[in-house]
């Protein structure tokens, strides 16, 4: 089986040579093939439902981050994009990624069909489910950045293109055994493949779409200006906790196997490092905002968590706990300063997805060689550059074509009224005393 | 063991003959009985906690859907009914369902007690837990429909009757091996047994109770009129995502076994179809409301997801991915038009539970023969009709008796002030600038 | 292996002699060591992520319970304390607890490192993850009580001390095989070790810190006075449901093994009793407030759930279903009257954590001998007294030193403006019509 071969081979080799001190001592596995099949499938299903739930996390993070006149539509976008991404990934995405020839560039345009068999070692359907939720995550990243001024259905169209074509192509390059895998690139659970892809597509959209009306007329303080204040901090908070929970599935499931004691140890190590990197991101953002700017910025702490988690995603298995905290901490710092950078460039990223997913994803992927001796910096740079440039350019072209044809931006009047009134006619909060 | 025999035998036979191409190739299982016991128990526990969490989903869906003067009481109802349902299902419900004679009509009025043994193949306690959360789900469906005008404790009394007696009786007819099972009815995870039962009991209550004051004095536009606007769209949204998450447990766990590779494949297929049906429901409701009525109705998209999920629940294993999307999509359309139908009949279903659970449940159950050749339409119709008529009539009688004796409706003054002030004295949102 | 020896031996012996009727009939286990290793690790990981998610539950419970001018900071506290607790528990806590000599008082000040091996029976990393989230839970309990007037960073400092030193010491006394384990104390999943520890530390803080400005100037009605009204009842509600969900992991995972059918049965029994005790707590609080004070208090129902869950945590395996409902019900009653007691003493516990965690924890731990014949009341009392006195005194000293040096309380002006404006500069709800 070609599938996942890079992801599987790399870590297994690493475990043998580097984590030998934490190996179980089982000379060879005593788990029967069928029991292993069930364990592997169970890992995909459990980690899959955790990642699926990240869709709720993104929905809450974004609903809390937009102003209260765009909350209903961001909810519609999140449930809609998740549905669209799943259908597209079944119709075309999965085989576009995994049907790729070894070392190749693109797979086949055919729907996924079940081909479970003894020698695959896991249920094919469970793998589809697990990979599908990764695809949906990529699209979730985009919706927040473009909130409050993009039209609903053009956004859905872009969601279909990203989930059905753009993401599967870059996924195939690496996880399908395409040219980047052959080149030796390593991205364990998708700092670049998933998170930077989402972030780069969002950045392209933000540039083509332009900022919200009035966002940059005042001199640019990075603090949430009153007219653009986040509608609900507790919704952002529960969103982040859900994302953190889901990330255990995201990274843990990317071990792709739970049928041996060594795999079980690896998944545990991944859980541990994923937790510590998120914690590092939170506290780094807390310290930087408190010491650098006077107040402890809760939004940056929450987004710093994402930055830390994205950073560890490229290599959650090899780092020591110390290293995981540091890698995550740098991710948190990147979020704080990346947010300022975008603001200074007058690029309007409503939820801070570009710093958290694109910038921290670049950092995490480039940092892999620090802890994984099987990788080299130049190849990591090649992977980061090729994927980000490809996604950004393609997304930019798609956004531009859509802008020139069907239009992607609400009318001034519609934006001023708010997307909720204009597009869904349902106000988000109806609170009476 | 008689238990679940229908549920187990049907799918297993089907897998052999129809899904042979996705079988693992293991001629016979190589999993030891004890390992299988642990896997099966683990499936019940994992899927059980996912379904348990659906109680939170219903609570948020309903809290977001009612007006802001009835949110605290709907929270009290949801945590209370879940507690009551669990206690009743232990005290009487489980054995009322599973103590039924083969082909019979009713089981015994005795509390559940643990009888785990080697040959059951799973822990009895884990099965109780899994079945209990289904019972609680049935009651959760009722609370939203009747919100904003029903008295709290009479509702709790009905919750006890529904969870302790009405639901267990119909559950026994089918899953306990009673007369419907003998007749050949098929309802894999409960489109009719759980969802239509909840919906029919809710409909009976809505008719006996009458609509909220002022709900139908204006000419009936189906859009949320300002005075009845949903209190929080993001709370509805997180509720729906939680329900979608829980549904993987609801349908996946209904395979009732995870101790062979074929079972693991079946659970994976169920996850996949459950996802696609929900996605179909979302997008069908989005398209219908956008094309039919001008604006993309976020509430209908969210409720359409439930419609799609309810529809696939009667048969989540046999459909192809194409079929799952279509079955779910029709469920979503049914939600949109079912909501209009109820509105035109001046039946006040506050959260749209009747269209989503009763109507979509009927559709899903009648659609089983389309993909499952072991079933026939006439028997499906028999099951749908007998369960829905039985539940509706019994619930109608119970509601009527309660109305005539203890009273079920708040005073006009109490309703005008709002249930929160009247019944719990705790306002739901205390937000100050 | 010394680790957990008390927790493991007690229940196993009990199962043999007392639950024999529910045993599987397997004379000896037929599960291979490696398969058992995977099952045990899986239990830690699954239950660990459930407990991890409790951090979100506490965050929502607390965000909903404080007034709307302190919501952003309580969110910052919750994500921050979770991060700090995890890092401290890795740096020093784990080995301070588990590095203890048999029958001893304190372990070693060294960071955790992975020592997975065949004979441990589970991945060391998965155990660290599982134990870490317990440590974080202990700290979560403290943050709500002290809300709305404590400074952010001094709170973080206390969180580090509690998670790195105080909690690990008492944890070692019992779960590390220290002097309390030797004495025969029993606390299955931590009614005292986790919940009372958190509650006692919170109580000490509330006394040293003093009540919120104006909280007790009016004659003391226990109902939420308008100026101190909880900001959002649905956020409290979702918090409680998340905590209830997490508690299945909290108690179920404390069986510490899933590699035999008997362990699988035990975990199922724990799930069942954990559910029923929470249900008992909810309904007891509902009945007491309705019958005793006229209105059904939704906040007490929700907090009563916690009281019931805390009460069953000391012994979730041995009670019959009847006993579990009663133990939980008493926990719920304790919450109602404990809240009144604190109010009458003018101790300001913003979220009611002291009644729910400290008082109900004492009850649950003392009640263990009712259902577990291997325990005696005097030893339970010894454990309860020694841990609570130790934690309260040490915490009191730490809070007092901090008060005298760095200061722990906001200025009057800062408190009047609200913690959100003063400390993070981000208002929690920005809702416009």
């Amino acid at each position: 089986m070609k599938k996942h071969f890079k992801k599987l081979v790399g870590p297994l080799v690493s475990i043998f040579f580097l984590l030998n001190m934490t190996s179980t001592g089982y000379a060879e596995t005593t788990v029967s093939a069928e029991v292993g099949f069930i364990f592997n499938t169970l890992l995909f299903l459990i980690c899959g439902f955790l990642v699926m739930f990240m869709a709720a996390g993104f929905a809450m993070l974004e609903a809390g981050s937009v102003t209260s006149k765009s909350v209903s539509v961001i909810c519609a976008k999140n449930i809609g994009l998740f549905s669209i991404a799943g259908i597209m990934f079944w119709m075309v995405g999965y085989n576009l990624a995994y049907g790729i020839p070894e070392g190749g560039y693109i797979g086949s345009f055919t729907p996924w069909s079940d081909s479970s068999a003894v020698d695959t070692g896991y249920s094919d359907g469970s793998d589809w489910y697990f990979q599908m939720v990764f695809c949906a995550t990529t699209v979730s990243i985009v919706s927040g950045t473009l909130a409050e001024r993009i039209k609903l259905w053009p956004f859905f169209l872009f969601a279909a293109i990203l989930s059905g074509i753009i993401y599967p192509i870059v996924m195939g390059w690496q996880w399908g055994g395409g040219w980047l895998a052959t080149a030796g690139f390593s991205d364990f659970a998708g700092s670049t493949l998933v998170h930077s892809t989402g972030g780069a597509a969002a950045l392209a959209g933000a540039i083509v779409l332009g900022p919200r009306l009035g966002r940059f007329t005042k001199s640019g303080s990075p603090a949430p200006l009153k007219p653009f204040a986040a509608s609900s901090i507790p919704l952002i908070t529960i969103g982040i906790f859900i994302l953190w929970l889901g990330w255990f599935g995201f990274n843990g499931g990317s071990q792709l196997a739970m049928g041996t004691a060594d795999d079980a140890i690896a998944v545990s190590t991944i859980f541990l490092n994923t937790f510590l990197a998120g914690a590092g991101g939170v506290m780094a953002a807390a310290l930087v905002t408190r010491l650098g700017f006077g107040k402890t910025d809760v939004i940056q702490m929450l987004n710093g968590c994402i930055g830390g988690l994205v950073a560890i995603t490229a290599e959650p298995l090899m780092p020591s706990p110390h290293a995981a905290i540091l890698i995550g901490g740098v991710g948190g710092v990147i979020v704080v300063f990346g947010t300022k950078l975008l603001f200074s460039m007058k690029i309007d990223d409503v939820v801070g997805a570009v710093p958290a997913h694109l910038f921290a994803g670049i950092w995490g992927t480039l940092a892999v060689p620090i802890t994984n001796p099987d990788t080299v910096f130049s190849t990591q740079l090649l992977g980061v550059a090729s994927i980000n440039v490809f996604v950004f350019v393609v997304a930019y072209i798609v956004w531009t074509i859509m802008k020139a044809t069907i239009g992607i931006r609400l009318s001034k009047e519609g934006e001023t009224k708010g997307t909720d009134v204009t597009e869904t006619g349902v106000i988000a909060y109806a609170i009476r005393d």
Side-chain angles (χ1 to χ4, degrees), chain A:
Chain A
M1 294 299 292
K2 187 161 58 246
K3 272 186 210 177
H4 319 302
F5 83 107
K6 191 67 204 167
K7 286 179 84 179
L8 272 169
V9 173
L12 286 177
V13 170
S14 309
I15 288 168
F16 254 71
F17 289 96
L18 289 156
L19 288 178
N20 214 15
M21 64 291 190
T22 67
S23 170
T24 50
Y26 292 101
E28 42 191 316
T29 184
T30 62
V31 182
S32 81
E34 187 167 9
V35 169
F37 185 103
I38 302 171
F39 274 128
N40 294 341
T41 299
L42 202 53
L43 181 74
F44 279 135
L45 294 179
I46 294 171
C47 291
F49 74 64
L50 289 175
V51 181
M52 175 268 158
F53 199 40
M54 291 173 74
F58 281 111
M60 291 304 105
L61 162 57
E62 296 173 18
S65 297
V66 299
T67 70
S68 65
K69 62 183 184 177
S70 302
V71 174
S72 293
V73 166
I74 207 76
C75 291
K77 269 179 205 155
N78 273 278
I79 193 116
L81 75 85
F82 186 58
S83 303
I84 291 166
I87 294 172
M88 290 302 293
F89 195 70
W90 159 70
M91 279 214 312
V92 56
Y94 188 91
N95 282 342
L96 201 50
Y98 280 149
I100 200 169
E102 193 170 333
Y105 292 87
I106 194 161
S108 63
F109 284 85
T110 51
W112 171 84
S113 66
D114 197 341
S115 61
S116 295
V118 176
D119 62 351
T120 57
Y122 53 84
S123 151
D124 210 33
S126 71
D127 181 56
W128 181 85
Y129 180 71
F130 183 69
Q131 299 298 341
M132 178 274 291
V133 288
F134 275 61
C135 176
T137 299
T138 308
V139 188
S140 294
I141 294 165
V142 181
S143 61
T145 297
L146 310 179
E148 311 218 42
R149 73 270 200 205
I150 198 168
K151 283 188 200 167
L152 185 59
W153 286 89
F155 172 77
F156 282 160
L157 176 59
F158 185 82
I161 295 168
L162 180 60
S163 58
I165 299 175
I166 302 175
Y167 170 72
I169 288 176
V170 298
M171 178 189 166
W173 290 356
Q174 175 68 11
W175 293 339
W179 73 276
L180 270 176
T182 306
F185 181 57
S186 177
D187 186 3
F188 194 87
S191 284
T192 291
L193 269 77
V194 173
H195 294 282
S196 288
T197 291
L203 179 61
I207 293 170
V208 175
L209 190 61
R212 285 169 287 177
L213 293 175
R215 181 58 170 147
F216 294 111
T217 49
K218 286 155 196 152
S219 73
S221 153
L225 300 169
K226 185 85 179 182
F228 295 100
S231 75
S232 173
I233 303 302
L235 289 186
I236 302 179
T237 305
I238 193 170
I240 297 297
F241 273 115
I242 291 172
L243 288 168
W244 205 345
L245 171 71
W247 231 289
F248 297 112
F250 200 94
N251 289 356
S254 293
Q255 177 66 14
L256 305 177
M258 185 82 184
T260 66
D262 281 335
D263 280 319
I265 292 174
V267 175
S268 304
T269 303
I270 293 168
F271 267 56
L272 199 153
N273 281 338
T274 299
F275 167 73
L276 288 174
V282 169
M283 293 316 296
L287 287 165
V288 165
T289 56
R290 176 69 184 84
L291 299 177
F293 314 108
K295 294 200 175 179
T296 314
D297 189 331
V298 60
I299 294 176
Q300 296 294 348
M301 285 175 77
L302 293 164
N303 216 15
C305 186
I306 303 298
L309 291 165
V310 169
I312 203 70
T313 294
E315 182 52 76
L317 180 60
M318 301 301 299
S320 66
H322 306 74
I325 296 171
L326 285 175
I327 291 167
V330 172
V333 172
I334 287 173
V335 164
V336 174
F337 290 100
T339 304
K340 290 186 178 300
L341 176 69
L342 284 184
F343 205 89
S344 72
M345 296 170 70
K346 304 206 170 183
I347 294 171
D348 190 10
D349 175 2
V350 178
V351 302
V354 172
H357 295 273
L358 175 58
F359 297 168
I362 292 172
W363 152 244
T365 312
L366 295 181
V368 172
I370 299 172
T371 62
N372 183 341
D374 294 336
T375 59
V376 291
F377 181 78
S378 60
T379 315
Q380 293 304 102
L381 191 61
L382 172 70
V384 164
S386 58
I387 289 178
N388 282 322
V389 169
F390 172 79
V391 172
F392 182 84
V393 169
V394 173
Y396 196 94
I397 293 169
V398 172
W399 286 121
T400 305
I401 293 172
M402 284 169 58
K403 185 179 182 176
T405 53
I406 56 175
I408 56 176
R409 183 153 185 153
L410 285 179
S411 67
K412 278 195 182 185
E413 192 197 340
E415 186 179 342
T416 305
K417 279 184 186 166
T419 59
D420 290 357
V421 170
T422 306
E423 297 235 73
T424 188
V426 178
I427 56 168
Y429 301 104
I431 295 175
R432 300 184 296 178
D433 288 323

